[in-house]
Amino acid sequence: MNGPMIITLIVLIAASILFVSGKIRSDLVAIGSLIILMLFNILTPAEALSGFSNSVVIMMIGLFVVGGGIFQTGLAKMGSRVLLRLAGTSETRLLVMVMLVTSVIGAFVSNTGTVAVMMPIVVSLAMSAGTHPGKLLMPLAFASSLGGMLTLIGTPPNLVIQETLLQAGYKGLSFFTFTPIGIVCLLTGIIGLLFLRRFLPDHQKELGKGKKKGRSLKELAKQYQLTQNLFRVQVNKDSPIQSKTLLELDVSAKFEVNVIEIRRKISAKNQFFKTINQEIAGPDTVIHEDDILYVNGTFERAEQFAQHYGLTLLDHHVAERSGPQSEQSEQYATSEVGIAEVMLTPNSSLIGRLVKDSGFREKYRVNILGIQRKEQYLLHNLKEERMKFGDALLIQGTWKDIALLAANQANVVVVGQPIEESRKVTMDIKAPIAAGIMLLMVALLITELVPAVVAVMIAAVLMVVFGCVRNMEEAYKSINWESIVLIGGMIPMSIAIEKTGAATLLSEGLVSMLGGYGPIALLAGVYFTTSLLTMFISNTACAVLFAPIALTAAIQFGVSPYPYLFAVSIGASMCFASPFSTPPNALVMSAGRYKFSHYIKVGLPLQVFIGVVMVAVLPLFFPF
């Protein structure tokens, strides 16, 4: 072995140890490895930085943005509801369902694209079912690779061995030649994960770590009985309140209800971007025809108000109202408007003041919906209520105004984090647009009309342009940069391994060493050598490297090359033991809260288990 090869292998081993230990951030380890390889002139600066211009890295950035759009529009939540109805809340059924659906999509779409489409849905599904996302996301990533073995186009190594066979004069493979062995591979993966899932992040322990102070929007809505006190009335054509301000109408004094918000349709030329205008009601708010007023108060008072002014009451009595509470409470919170709980500080100048004199609406543009005083909730006739120390006030306003109130801590303290809460509220009206963009991306990936990276970038840009992602800042925040830097930093490692001859030395040495023990031993050698090396270089590069070696070894042995080339393809694709071995593994790392050790505990045994099964089964499908 030459000097550069020894240094490369030392760097690779050291990086692997640091990845497993988890004591240093994985992206820092990847960058540190690149610096060392540059200092020893093993990689040029251009080669070391080539990973960050690699199409896989650019595609991952785009896929994070697409995933953000699927999340923020509520499309993920809708998809998760469908799967939840089919699978129930059983963790076993959910795991099997997710893997089956993912593998079918992965048979026709790239595994990275498959994970991008499914990941937001699966996270939402896990949350709805009360399961830690980590229990389903790693199976999702692995299933996308398993699904790639079902068809000829499922994964690049399949096409590599097809080309190798054709160039050598052998009969090519049909579209579904892989399907029988792919089904065995998928079933083996599902069975293996059912036993290994115990090593995935635990629900109680992991979720408890990230828990923030403050109640969720759903919890606040339940505590303050919002769904029982919110009613919608629509302004009709002949209503006398048109063109009048709320100050002129003095609704709260006359009917003991508060108009807290107005939503009106806008005849926009750009209706794709926004179709509903939301406005927090204030004294100067002017009422227009077809406006929908959100009224807070008892049903009897809301009905009285509607009848007096000839308005249409869109909601029935509380006993007749249907739908899950979470859906009803969402009327109080959208991507622009939200609710929050505030506490009066000990020295607050608001203590002793009447709510109507507090200036909340005039100064901060927020409405007070309720007051919690010890164990009692005050929900009606709040204007005449005098505020006391220890009161918790439920307010509603735009997320921006609530955040401004949170910054002013002289009189009140906002419980929770308004900006973080605002990101959890979905823009359901944009869901059809997000679905259309996602289908366009999938169609482009299947038809290959444009390169995969172009298809993904088109989808990412469209998500921002059509408002499926709130703004460019949100688009950037949806990207997990640690994963991007990790993959970008590790891709050049494969250049160093090939450049120094380490890959060729390892592959040829193992094949020649095992060749004397018969075709099965050689098949195992080809499979596991490919499987080992694909942990450090891309599966496509690994297949390109090993396919001719496997073909030559089979010819020298006088046996059929088909099982050996299938071993190369499957071995290169079934890499689960590290987060940087495939883009799907890296994509789910952050959302699943995985450490490198999770991939070792779950992925490595699964990789070995599938390998053992494949070595035993391949000769049955493709005899020597």
Side-chain angles (χ1 to χ4, degrees):
M1 289 197 292
N2 54 47
M5 185 191 298
I6 293 171
I7 293 169
T8 300
L9 292 175
I10 289 172
V11 170
L12 186 61
I13 293 167
S16 299
I17 291 170
L18 290 173
F19 282 137
V20 173
S21 71
K23 292 182 178 178
I24 301 177
R25 280 176 56 118
S26 56
D27 50 351
L28 190 59
V29 173
I31 295 299
S33 301
L34 284 188
I35 293 171
I36 293 171
L37 292 173
M38 281 192 287
L39 290 175
F40 282 95
N41 293 319
I42 294 170
L43 291 177
T44 65
E47 287 172 334
L49 298 175
S50 63
F52 296 100
S53 62
N54 189 283
S55 61
V56 169
V57 173
I58 304 301
M59 190 159 67
M60 281 182 65
I61 291 172
L63 289 171
F64 274 120
V65 176
V66 171
I70 294 171
F71 253 130
Q72 292 179 27
T73 58
L75 188 61
K77 188 165 55 179
M78 296 172 195
S80 69
R81 284 174 188 159
V82 174
L83 289 178
L84 205 58
R85 280 198 297 270
L86 294 173
T89 56
S90 164
E91 191 179 291
T92 300
R93 287 203 299 272
L94 285 173
L95 185 144
V96 173
M97 173 72 75
V98 165
M99 291 192 71
L100 288 175
V101 172
T102 304
S103 60
V104 170
I105 299 173
F108 304 96
V109 180
S110 73
N111 56 4
T112 312
T114 301
V115 171
V117 170
M118 288 294 294
M119 188 167 76
I121 296 173
V122 171
V123 171
S124 182
L125 175 67
M127 292 299 188
S128 300
T131 300
H132 191 289
K135 289 288 186 183
L136 298 176
L137 285 175
M138 192 176 285
L140 165 71
F142 295 172
S144 69
S145 297
L146 291 164
M149 298 312 304
L150 293 171
T151 64
L152 178 64
I153 65 166
T155 185
N158 294 1
L159 297 171
V160 170
I161 67 165
Q162 159 86 325
E163 186 65 23
T164 303
L165 285 166
L166 291 173
Q167 287 180 355
Y170 288 88
K171 183 181 177 183
L173 307 169
S174 71
F175 191 84
F176 292 109
T177 302
F178 285 84
T179 305
I181 196 71
I183 290 172
V184 174
C185 203
L186 174 61
L187 292 176
T188 304
I190 292 174
I191 292 167
L193 277 168
L194 287 174
F195 285 98
L196 294 167
R197 60 182 169 167
R198 69 189 69 180
F199 299 113
L200 291 171
D202 179 72
H203 176 72
Q204 289 80 10
K205 290 179 185 175
E206 296 293 327
L207 285 185
K209 288 178 186 175
K211 207 167 185 179
K212 297 184 180 78
K213 291 182 180 179
R215 289 178 280 188
S216 69
L217 297 179
K218 186 176 177 181
E219 289 170 333
L220 285 175
K222 184 178 180 181
Q223 290 291 332
Y224 284 87
Q225 303 168 33
L226 296 189
T227 55
Q228 284 82 12
N229 294 282
L230 177 68
F231 300 93
R232 297 171 300 153
V233 295
Q234 188 164 22
V235 181
N236 298 321
K237 187 177 181 180
D238 302 322
S239 175
I241 70 171
Q242 284 188 62
S243 302
K244 291 188 178 181
T245 65
L246 290 177
L247 182 63
E248 291 176 76
L249 295 169
D250 199 13
V251 175
S252 58
K254 291 178 183 177
F255 301 98
E256 296 180 6
V257 296
N258 287 318
V259 179
I260 60 173
E261 183 183 336
I262 294 175
R263 299 190 193 183
R264 61 175 59 114
K265 292 182 181 178
I266 51 177
S267 57
K269 294 164 185 169
N270 298 323
Q271 59 178 329
F272 277 113
F273 295 90
K274 195 173 182 184
T275 56
I276 300 290
N277 185 51
Q278 296 168 260
E279 185 179 337
I280 293 296
D284 300 322
T285 301
V286 179
I287 308 297
H288 299 296
E289 183 186 343
D290 290 332
D291 280 357
I292 295 177
L293 313 181
Y294 279 67
V295 178
N296 182 256
T298 65
F299 173 75
E300 290 75 16
R301 292 294 189 180
E303 187 177 39
Q304 194 177 52
F305 165 61
Q307 287 174 351
H308 183 81
Y309 288 114
L311 310 173
T312 302
L313 184 61
L314 301 178
D315 296 297
H316 301 292
H317 190 273
V318 63
E320 299 168 1
R321 298 176 78 180
S322 59
Q325 178 155 345
S326 60
E327 291 179 18
Q328 291 176 7
S329 62
E330 283 168 7
Q331 295 175 337
Y332 271 92
T334 68
S335 60
E336 296 179 9
V337 174
I339 56 176
E341 198 172 32
V342 302
M343 304 287 292
L344 298 181
T345 60
N347 300 316
S348 174
S349 62
L350 297 173
I351 294 173
R353 282 196 194 180
L354 295 174
V355 167
K356 66 181 180 182
D357 299 328
S358 65
F360 270 92
R361 184 175 263 191
E362 294 77 11
K363 187 176 181 181
Y364 295 108
R365 298 179 295 280
V366 297
N367 292 306
I368 298 177
L369 303 183
I371 299 175
Q372 181 186 0
R373 184 167 293 158
K374 296 181 180 177
E375 300 300 318
Q376 184 183 9
Y377 287 88
L378 309 176
L379 305 170
H380 305 300
N381 304 322
L382 295 177
K383 291 185 75 172
E384 302 301 325
E385 196 64 47
R386 203 172 291 277
M387 291 180 283
K388 299 179 180 179
F389 172 62
D391 282 355
L393 313 178
L394 184 69
I395 60 170
Q396 185 197 38
T398 65
W399 290 111
K400 185 178 178 182
D401 287 333
I402 293 173
L404 285 173
L405 180 61
N408 178 15
Q409 296 184 355
N411 291 314
V412 297
V413 175
V414 176
V415 182
Q417 300 179 9
I419 297 302
E420 291 301 316
E421 288 295 328
S422 71
R423 291 187 185 127
K424 297 176 186 176
V425 182
T426 57
M427 303 176 288
D428 292 2
I429 198 168
K430 299 285 187 182
I433 301 173
I437 294 170
M438 185 184 74
L439 290 174
L440 172 65
M441 181 185 78
V442 172
L444 290 174
L445 289 170
I446 292 173
T447 57
E448 298 182 351
L449 292 175
V450 295
V453 65
V454 177
V456 171
M457 294 311 293
I458 288 171
V461 170
L462 289 178
M463 284 288 186
V464 177
V465 169
F466 285 102
C468 298
V469 176
R470 292 183 180 94
N471 48 49
M472 280 304 295
E473 286 73 22
E474 288 295 319
Y476 286 124
K477 285 174 184 173
S478 67
I479 300 166
N480 181 260
W481 293 105
E482 183 178 353
S483 298
I484 296 299
V485 173
L486 172 63
I487 291 289
M490 289 308 296
I491 285 175
M493 182 69 77
S494 65
I495 299 174
I497 291 172
E498 292 180 57
K499 191 175 179 180
T500 57
T504 305
L505 180 72
L506 179 65
S507 59
E508 289 181 345
L510 274 169
V511 170
S512 61
M513 182 174 67
L514 293 169
Y517 294 97
I520 288 287
L522 180 60
L523 183 67
V526 168
Y527 186 99
F528 285 106
T529 306
T530 309
S531 182
L532 174 67
L533 202 60
T534 199
M535 290 172 62
F536 307 105
I537 66 177
S538 76
N539 59 358
T540 307
C542 204
V544 169
L545 179 68
F546 274 92
I549 296 172
L551 180 73
T552 304
I555 291 171
Q556 288 176 351
F557 247 67
V559 293
S560 169
Y562 286 93
Y564 294 92
L565 286 171
F566 269 87
V568 169
S569 179
I570 299 169
S573 301
M574 300 299 105
C575 189
F576 309 131
S578 77
F580 57 78
S581 56
T582 65
N585 289 5
L587 271 172
V588 302
M589 187 176 184
S590 174
R593 298 181 190 175
Y594 299 124
K595 299 176 182 175
F596 196 96
S597 58
H598 287 120
Y599 291 88
I600 296 294
K601 291 176 184 176
V602 179
L604 184 58
L606 184 65
Q607 195 169 324
V608 173
F609 178 48
I610 291 176
V612 171
V613 173
M614 287 297 105
V615 170
V617 168
L618 274 172
L620 302 178
F621 285 95
F622 306 99
F624 294 123

